[in-house]
Amino acid sequence: MLGQTLADGFPSVFILVDPTQLPVELHDGVLKIMKHTPRNNIVTSDTYPECDYQWPTRFVYDHELKPGECIVSRQDTVYERVHACKTVEITIQYHRRIEAFRALGRVLSATRDPRLVEEKDSSLLNFREQAQFDTQGVMIDCSRNGVLRPQSVYFVLCKMALLGLNTLQLYTEDTYEVDGEPIFGYLRGKCSLDVPFFLFLLGSYSIHVDGLYIFLHSSSLPSEMTP
């Protein structure tokens, strides 16, 4: 194999992103996602990793695509530097931000696909996808000594973006502080931030990552906090 083949037999693959060429609406989200990739193999294009494959990836907004639709295409070249490194240029066309990140997630998963070694399946990096639902996501139970810290939610949001999930629901019951309500969160691992500010932090982060919708579900909200 070329370059630094990984110990588990997979070729080393780096997805290269040029921050200066990213669409404005994707810039912050892509940079945040880069920090949470399992093998740190989404990097900026000004780095020159020793590898078997490098995949320069660009994003193109396409107004003709339907919401929920994305297209990924590839073009192969041979790139000579200090060592021979096969370059696969990837283009991601998207309509909404969440589809751009979903497509990036599929490209990222292809870096660990056994078919990459054999190069027998061109559909890994050549595909068109249409989401079947406008919103899809997860609900996290934060009601039994399992209140997530903001950083943990940020981590989850980045993973959700790569999966194309655009709805996060936090089920809390009474695991947060409420002024004048000492029983709320008592011995339950309560969230120390007030609910509106906590959701503001998460909402601000999620907008930059993938336009996620965040909902708080609680069966125990005091009357003054009930919408």
Side-chain angles (χ1 to χ4, degrees), residues 72-178:
V72 172
S73 55
R74 63 180 283 178
Q75 179 179 357
D76 294 7
T77 60
V78 175
Y79 187 81
E80 294 291 342
R81 198 164 49 241
V82 176
H83 61 279
C85 179
K86 183 168 183 179
T87 296
V88 177
E89 297 178 351
I90 298 173
T91 300
I92 294 176
Q93 297 168 252
Y94 67 96
H95 183 87
R96 300 182 303 180
R97 281 178 293 178
I98 190 62
E99 281 89 54
F101 296 123
R102 159 67 179 172
L104 179 60
R106 284 196 58 177
V107 171
L108 182 62
S109 69
T111 66
R112 298 288 294 174
D113 195 300
R115 291 170 292 179
L116 173 66
V117 180
E118 302 174 358
E119 299 187 1
K120 291 182 178 180
D121 192 344
S122 61
S123 66
L124 286 175
L125 297 174
N126 281 298
F127 61 85
R128 188 184 196 113
E129 184 177 87
Q130 173 66 56
Q132 301 303 305
F133 301 93
D134 291 332
T135 59
Q136 46 197 344
V138 298
M139 175 185 284
I140 299 177
D141 190 346
C142 300
S143 63
R144 295 292 186 274
N145 293 308
V147 174
L148 296 178
R149 298 179 185 273
Q151 288 299 326
S152 296
V153 181
Y154 300 160
F155 176 83
V156 171
L157 290 174
C158 287
K159 301 301 183 185
M160 288 178 60
L162 290 172
L163 292 170
L165 304 177
N166 61 356
T167 304
L168 173 62
Q169 302 180 55
L170 302 176
Y171 182 74
T172 61
E173 290 195 358
D174 62 348
T175 48
Y176 46 82
E177 285 185 340
V178 177

Side-chain angles (χ1 to χ4, degrees), residues 6 14 24 27 43 48-49 52 54 80 115-116 131 138 140 157-158 171 204 207 211 214 219 224:
L6 303 179
F14 283 85
V24 174
H27 187 274
V43 298
Y48 299 97
D52 296 305
Q54 59 177 11
E80 294 291 342
R115 291 170 292 179
L116 173 66
V138 298
I140 299 177
L157 290 174
C158 287
Y171 182 74
S204 298
I207 287 172
I214 298 182
S219 59
E224 66 268 21

Side-chain angles (χ1 to χ4, degrees), residues 52-73:
D52 296 305
Y53 295 88
Q54 59 177 11
W55 295 354
T57 301
R58 68 188 186 103
F59 296 83
V60 178
Y61 171 77
D62 189 338
H63 71 278
E64 295 185 355
L65 295 180
K66 302 176 183 177
E69 189 175 15
C70 64
I71 300 174
V72 172
S73 55

Side-chain angles (χ1 to χ4, degrees), residues 212-223:
L212 270 161
Y213 301 99
I214 298 182
F215 299 95
L216 175 69
H217 284 265
S218 177
S219 59
S220 309
L221 282 174
S223 58

